Amino acid sequence: MHQIENRMNNSVTLKDIAKALNLSISTISKSLNDSYEISIDTKQKVLEYAQKHHYSPNRLAKGLKEGKSRSIGVVVCSLDNNVLAQMLDGIDTVSADNSYQIIIMQSKESQKQEAACIELLYSGGVDGILISPACETVDFSYLISLQKAGLPVVLFDRLSDQIVTHKVGADNFQGAYDATMHLIKKGYKNIAHLNTNTTLSIATERLNGYKQALADSKITYRPELLRSCDYSDTQKLNADLEAAIQYYMGLSDKPDAIFTATDQISTRCLTLLNKLGYHIPNDIALIGFTNTDLAEALNPALSTVHQPAFEIGQLAAKKLISLIERKNEDIEYETVMLETHIKARASTLGKE
Amino acid sequence: MHQIENRMNNSVTLKDIAKALNLSISTISKSLNDSYEISIDTKQKVLEYAQKHHYSPNRLAKGLKEGKSRSIGVVVCSLDNNVLAQMLDGIDTVSADNSYQIIIMQSKESQKQEAACIELLYSGGVDGILISPACETVDFSYLISLQKAGLPVVLFDRLSDQIVTHKVGADNFQGAYDATMHLIKKGYKNIAHLNTNTTLSIATERLNGYKQALADSKITYRPELLRSCDYSDTQKLNADLEAAIQYYMGLSDKPDAIFTATDQISTRCLTLLNKLGYHIPNDIALIGFTNTDLAEALNPALSTVHQPAFEIGQLAAKKLISLIERKNEDIEYETVMLETHIKARASTLGKE
DNA sequence: AAAAATCACGAAATCGTTTGCGTTTTTAAA
DNA sequence: TTTAAAAACGCAAACGATTTCGTGATTTTT
């Protein structure tokens, strides 16, 4: 009874094959693993039987025995996110190529939930963790303790100085610099910047790029042109954005262009500007970070800073797998920032 | 040596706690599972020690023992897909609430790769599988054999008659019907339909809804207004779409509106129409299935058929979990089709 | 005070693998 | 022919958890 009830599924096990072929379990195992200890004849028989009966090793048992599960945990703030979806695609592609499964979990931007995800992944025996930290997350001590316990961790997308490991992201500073420079070259002088209210690397780096471009162009940075929006939920974000736009437009020295820092902010800002009746780019120009395929089709076509999301995912996964597969050697951790690309479109057509 | 090397990670095990507290492994296990066999004092001590040392049960071991892994396999054609991302979000939300992990795999629309995914998930000991089949997939026998072997399977998004189980999707027929009716009410008479070249349920149902709406409105269905585009890759899709549009516009009796069947087709069609210099909706109106948040911001704002993707994901996950958790009872399988919603915007403003 | 019941805990089997080592059989060398 | 060396295979422990059953110790009942 019990031994049948508790079977994971009806799949054949080594024991089944052993019984059927009148051999021992270890012989079966070794045959399937092509051990030198087993004769060719026996191997042949075993392999044949195994294929005929669709034997596939139980990953749980194998994982338990070997101390690894050939699975990678991925923690992101949300699945429903353009850029992240592309990164996940990249991660999955590389993982699949190396026969790793990925287990994706959502932090929903909550530090607490993120910790729960990591905890679950860890106890689930993942071989490593890929993480794009929640914007709430300031304390990396938990992750660090796991890392010290031997769990390979790689940061992607959103990076942090608080933990020493491989990190893969976009060159946000340069991207922001280029975007701002693009505006300046197009003749815009009063450039506003809409960012998040977080301390995320992507936020600060983009802000710094913006500032640097201004400085290099001898344009004085006007703090009143920087607005930060609540990133905790969509409702608040929209409200903050609308307030920011109204604020900008009410300024005596109005901005003539906006550089937006994230996907969400960029597209919503465009929507809101349209809704509030402002003409882009005549009333105000707009360029922003976003990876949407629809930039071209927007009203007007939106100039964007495009990041190589798929490639970031790929590289991050490669880095993690390399970490997993040579745990012993001591490695030099590196931070890779992939180039972004400016796609100039109608929303930054230029003055006059 | 070996017993340390092979440790999954440095996390504490029951054995560790047993040794530290000078108790047996079974006592520890029972304490943590709040067994009546253990005294309150002992439980207290064990619990305290466990918490202090961040004990968390090894999921592999637990899964192996119990014959289940508290994980759900999800197979989709792609991660980088708006609608699917929303569905995955829904799936994940419900799964997390019920402490299941989800393992997502991509079929990339390949039947072969899909089979490999399922195989991997099965041997990985998932407790059930959620699948939106690849468009190549015509043969469900493999999935059916696993199902017969006791693996709960639920179809979502793309449904099929070939397998008997719970199925959750959008009411595609009604959605298409409503979209076509919307066009008709707005005064359009020559309504073209752009669909995929697949035999997917979502494709045929939407086609049927389109036809029914025409029939109910006494408009004769003109087969020459139906075009199917290659869905295997983006390149071909774009080429086919452009050809289709040129074809439509070259017709002596040109269509005055297009109803597009999928997210990809809808947004690309809009982009292409703009690119080719046609004015929407003056030259031709457009309505299509898509869930993009950007419909409002497109040029022009795109009328859409919106499907409750998140809810579909949620419901599918609920159905699967119910299947997993009462395997024994015999269930009546049902197919649920959630309502879609027409969002009328500028791209179907109406004639004159 | 003796018998019975209850309580608190430990030993051991089990899930499906892998693997070091021992054992038997065959083959090669002395 | 005797001995040494491969070759081919089986035994058993181990991974970490759960669970059945058995066994002393304590408490309750008679």
Side-chain angles (χ1 to χ4, degrees):
Chain A
M1 268 298 249
H2 283 289
Q3 67 276 21
I4 287 186
E5 297 243 357
N6 260 14
R7 288 285 283 266
M8 173 92 37
N9 43 44
N10 293 9
S11 62
V12 276
T13 68
L14 292 184
K15 196 196 275 183
D16 297 331
I17 305 183
K19 216 169 282 176
L21 264 49
N22 211 23
L23 287 168
S24 81
I25 296 182
S26 46
T27 302
I28 310 298
S29 173
K30 287 172 185 169
S31 298
L32 293 170
N33 289 320
D34 201 29
S35 163
Y36 70 98
E37 289 182 88
I38 307 297
S39 74
I40 298 187
D41 289 0
T42 310
K43 277 183 192 171
Q44 201 88 41
K45 277 183 200 165
V46 172
L47 220 71
E48 204 170 304
Y49 187 94
Q51 287 190 339
K52 193 166 188 176
H53 292 73
H54 301 104
Y55 168 79
S56 76
N58 182 310
R59 278 177 80 107
L60 296 182
K62 199 169 184 172
L64 178 59
K65 176 64 183 155
E66 294 183 341
K68 49 184 60 182
S69 59
R70 267 205 117 65
S71 64
I72 291 174
V74 186
V75 185
V76 293
C77 61
S78 172
L79 276 165
D80 184 15
N81 178 308
N82 245 305
V83 184
L84 283 176
Q86 292 173 21
M87 292 185 181
L88 289 174
D89 192 4
I91 291 171
D92 184 70
T93 304
V94 169
S95 302
D97 284 351
N98 292 273
S99 22
Y100 281 86
Q101 285 184 171
I102 66 173
I103 299 171
I104 303 175
M105 309 205 75
Q106 305 189 74
S107 67
K108 295 286 175 186
E109 303 289 17
S110 145
Q111 157 138 249
K112 201 172 154 191
Q113 197 167 330
E114 182 177 274
C117 293
I118 297 172
E119 161 79 26
L120 222 61
L121 289 170
Y122 184 59
S123 73
V126 294
D127 298 338
I129 285 185
L130 279 168
I131 183 169
S132 167
C135 62
E136 266 192 11
T137 304
V138 285
D139 181 21
F140 282 79
S141 56
Y142 183 54
L143 205 54
I144 292 172
S145 74
L146 291 189
Q147 192 194 21
K148 278 188 182 152
L151 184 76
V153 173
V154 168
L155 258 56
F156 72 100
D157 183 32
R158 300 170 175 182
L159 282 25
S160 165
D161 293 331
Q162 299 222 42
I163 182 169
V164 178
T165 184
H166 287 320
K167 299 165 196 170
V168 183
D171 192 341
N172 294 299
F173 177 90
Q174 191 66 38
Y177 184 91
D178 293 345
T180 312
M181 273 305 192
H182 168 76
L183 288 173
I184 294 169
K185 276 182 198 145
K186 286 290 184 179
Y188 302 102
K189 296 254 156 54
N190 279 316
I191 302 176
H193 181 40
L194 271 172
N195 208 315
T196 72
N197 66 340
T198 67
T199 55
L200 288 174
S201 62
I202 57 170
T204 56
E205 289 166 13
R206 290 170 191 180
L207 171 60
N208 289 337
Y210 160 78
K211 283 183 180 169
Q212 189 64 48
L214 293 183
D216 288 358
S217 309
K218 317 277 184 219
I219 298 178
T220 48
Y221 164 61
R222 295 169 54 197
E224 70 268 27
L225 290 186
L226 169 67
R227 293 272 112 177
S228 306
C229 305
D230 196 321
Y231 219 56
S232 57
D233 78 283
T234 307
Q235 299 281 336
K236 286 189 182 171
L237 177 57
N238 258 329
D240 279 15
L241 276 176
E242 187 158 351
I245 292 172
Q246 303 277 26
Y247 160 84
Y248 283 147
M249 293 320 216
L251 244 38
S252 59
D253 195 1
K254 277 193 279 201
D256 52 6
I258 307 180
F259 161 51
T260 48
T262 77
D263 200 291
Q264 307 266 332
I265 295 180
S266 301
T267 55
R268 288 180 200 284
C269 187
L270 180 135
T271 308
L272 280 169
L273 282 170
N274 281 333
K275 179 186 147 203
L276 296 175
Y278 296 107
H279 187 275
I280 309 172
N282 290 354
D283 293 333
I284 194 155
L286 182 63
I287 188 171
F289 268 85
T290 171
N291 269 30
T292 178
D293 292 332
L294 294 174
E296 186 74 44
L298 292 172
N299 180 29
L302 179 63
S303 297
T304 62
V305 187
H306 185 271
Q307 46 181 324
F310 185 83
E311 289 76 12
I312 289 175
Q314 283 185 305
L315 189 57
K318 279 181 195 162
K319 292 267 176 204
L320 181 67
I321 291 175
S322 82
L323 237 45
I324 292 173
E325 296 186 348
R326 19 178 171 140
K327 249 180 177 169
N328 36 346
E329 311 168 25
D330 43 1
I331 23 308
E332 266 192 42
Y333 289 121
E334 53 177 344
T335 299
V336 185
M337 317 241 271
L338 269 52
E339 239 180 283
T340 60
H341 291 282
I342 300 291
K343 312 231 174 176
R345 300 198 181 87
S347 72
T348 57
L349 212 55
K351 286 236 162 177
E352 270 70 89
Chain B
M1 269 296 248
H2 282 287
Q3 66 276 24
I4 287 186
E5 296 241 358
N6 260 15
R7 288 287 281 267
M8 172 93 36
N9 43 45
N10 293 9
S11 64
V12 277
T13 69
L14 291 185
K15 196 196 274 183
D16 298 331
I17 306 183
K19 216 170 281 176
L21 264 48
N22 211 22
L23 287 167
S24 81
I25 295 182
S26 41
T27 302
I28 309 299
S29 173
K30 289 172 187 169
S31 299
L32 293 171
N33 289 320
D34 202 28
S35 162
Y36 70 98
E37 290 182 85
I38 307 297
S39 72
I40 299 188
D41 288 1
T42 311
K43 278 183 191 171
Q44 201 89 40
K45 276 183 200 166
V46 172
L47 219 72
E48 203 169 306
Y49 187 94
Q51 288 190 337
K52 192 165 187 176
H53 292 73
H54 301 105
Y55 168 80
S56 75
N58 182 309
R59 278 178 81 107
L60 296 183
K62 200 169 183 172
L64 179 59
K65 174 64 183 154
E66 294 183 343
K68 49 185 60 183
S69 60
R70 268 205 116 66
S71 64
I72 290 174
V74 186
V75 184
V76 292
C77 62
S78 172
L79 277 165
D80 184 14
N81 178 309
N82 245 304
V83 185
L84 282 176
Q86 292 173 20
M87 293 185 181
L88 289 174
D89 192 3
I91 291 172
D92 184 71
T93 304
V94 169
S95 303
D97 284 350
N98 292 273
S99 16
Y100 281 86
Q101 284 184 173
I102 65 174
I103 299 172
I104 304 175
M105 309 205 75
Q106 305 189 73
S107 67
K108 294 286 175 186
E109 303 288 17
S110 146
Q111 158 139 248
K112 202 172 152 191
Q113 196 166 330
E114 183 178 270
C117 292
I118 297 172
E119 161 80 25
L120 220 62
L121 289 170
Y122 184 60
S123 72
V126 293
D127 298 337
I129 286 186
L130 278 169
I131 182 169
S132 167
C135 61
E136 267 191 11
T137 304
V138 285
D139 182 21
F140 283 79
S141 55
Y142 184 53
L143 205 55
I144 292 173
S145 73
L146 291 189
Q147 193 193 22
K148 280 190 181 148
L151 184 76
V153 173
V154 168
L155 257 56
F156 72 100
D157 184 32
R158 300 170 175 182
L159 282 25
S160 164
D161 292 331
Q162 300 223 41
I163 182 170
V164 178
T165 184
H166 286 321
K167 299 164 195 171
V168 183
D171 192 341
N172 294 300
F173 177 89
Q174 190 65 40
Y177 184 90
D178 292 346
T180 312
M181 272 305 190
H182 167 76
L183 288 173
I184 294 170
K185 275 183 199 146
K186 287 289 185 178
Y188 302 103
K189 296 255 157 54
N190 279 315
I191 303 175
H193 180 41
L194 272 171
N195 209 315
T196 71
N197 65 341
T198 67
T199 55
L200 288 174
S201 63
I202 56 170
T204 56
E205 289 166 13
R206 289 171 192 180
L207 172 59
N208 289 337
Y210 160 77
K211 284 183 180 170
Q212 189 64 49
L214 293 183
D216 287 357
S217 309
K218 316 275 186 223
I219 299 178
T220 48
Y221 164 61
R222 295 169 53 198
E224 71 268 27
L225 290 186
L226 170 67
R227 294 272 111 177
S228 306
C229 305
D230 196 321
Y231 218 59
S232 56
D233 78 283
T234 306
Q235 299 281 336
K236 287 188 181 171
L237 177 58
N238 258 328
D240 280 13
L241 276 176
E242 187 158 349
I245 291 172
Q246 303 277 27
Y247 160 82
Y248 283 147
M249 294 319 215
L251 244 39
S252 59
D253 194 1
K254 276 191 279 202
D256 52 7
I258 307 180
F259 161 51
T260 48
T262 77
D263 200 292
Q264 306 265 334
I265 295 181
S266 301
T267 54
R268 287 180 201 284
C269 187
L270 181 137
T271 309
L272 280 170
L273 283 170
N274 280 335
K275 181 187 145 201
L276 296 175
Y278 296 107
H279 187 275
I280 309 172
N282 290 354
D283 294 332
I284 194 154
L286 182 63
I287 187 170
F289 269 84
T290 171
N291 270 29
T292 178
D293 291 333
L294 294 174
E296 185 75 44
L298 292 171
N299 179 31
L302 179 63
S303 296
T304 63
V305 188
H306 185 271
Q307 45 180 326
F310 184 82
E311 288 77 12
I312 289 175
Q314 282 186 306
L315 190 57
K318 279 181 196 162
K319 292 268 177 205
L320 182 67
I321 291 175
S322 82
L323 238 45
I324 292 173
E325 296 187 347
R326 23 183 167 132
K327 251 181 180 172
N328 34 347
E329 312 169 26
D330 43 0
I331 28 287
E332 266 191 43
Y333 290 121
E334 54 177 344
T335 299
V336 184
M337 318 240 271
L338 270 51
E339 238 180 284
T340 60
H341 292 282
I342 301 291
K343 312 231 174 174
R345 299 198 182 88
S347 72
T348 57
L349 212 54
K351 286 234 158 176
E352 268 69 88

